[in-house]
Amino acid sequence: MIDFAALQDFVYTERCHDSCVHGLEHWRQVEFNGLMLAKKTKADITVVRLFALFHDSKRVDDGYDGEHGLRGAEFAKECYENKMLDITEEQFKKLYDACRLHTVVGKFGDVTIDTCFDSDRLDLGRVGFKLNPLKMATSMGAEIAKKSNREQIDPYRMREWIKNLAL
């Protein structure tokens, strides 16, 4: 069993960059989004929660950082190899691919990995971007994006709106 609070503290202390855009608040929102989506998609909740911690943990800044996903995946690999992640090899492979590919692949074709992608994309409002249904990897992510557009949700209020969303 994984102690997610302790793991979050460890990952946070090992981050490369102290960010208000890609930091702890974002990680927590990605986890919330992923758990919400996983109820519908039947994604692996453990992998979704771990993705929230690792996907941006090795960013060097808040600008374009094309290698941050791979660095986050490699950090997750170190933790897995050091027995800090009590998960199966299959779960680890999904976590690794989700972190490594979350900014370079639109849709992977695995429900857990695609749920991870959308859990991150659903938090783009924090930087002023409206949600684009065509950029979502899951049908549920696309439906949420469509609904946010129909209701003309201010991107900066997206987190609040998502937290009150009835699915």
Side-chain angles (χ1 to χ4, degrees), residues 20-54:
C20 60
V21 175
H22 294 100
L24 194 55
E25 187 176 354
H26 171 60
W27 301 359
R28 288 180 178 152
Q29 185 65 44
V30 170
E31 179 182 34
F32 178 89
N33 295 345
L35 293 175
M36 174 189 63
L37 288 171
K39 288 179 187 176
K40 298 290 184 176
T41 65
K42 307 296 186 214
D44 185 315
I45 291 171
T46 300
V47 173
V48 169
R49 293 186 74 193
L50 290 170
F51 171 81
L53 294 178
F54 286 101

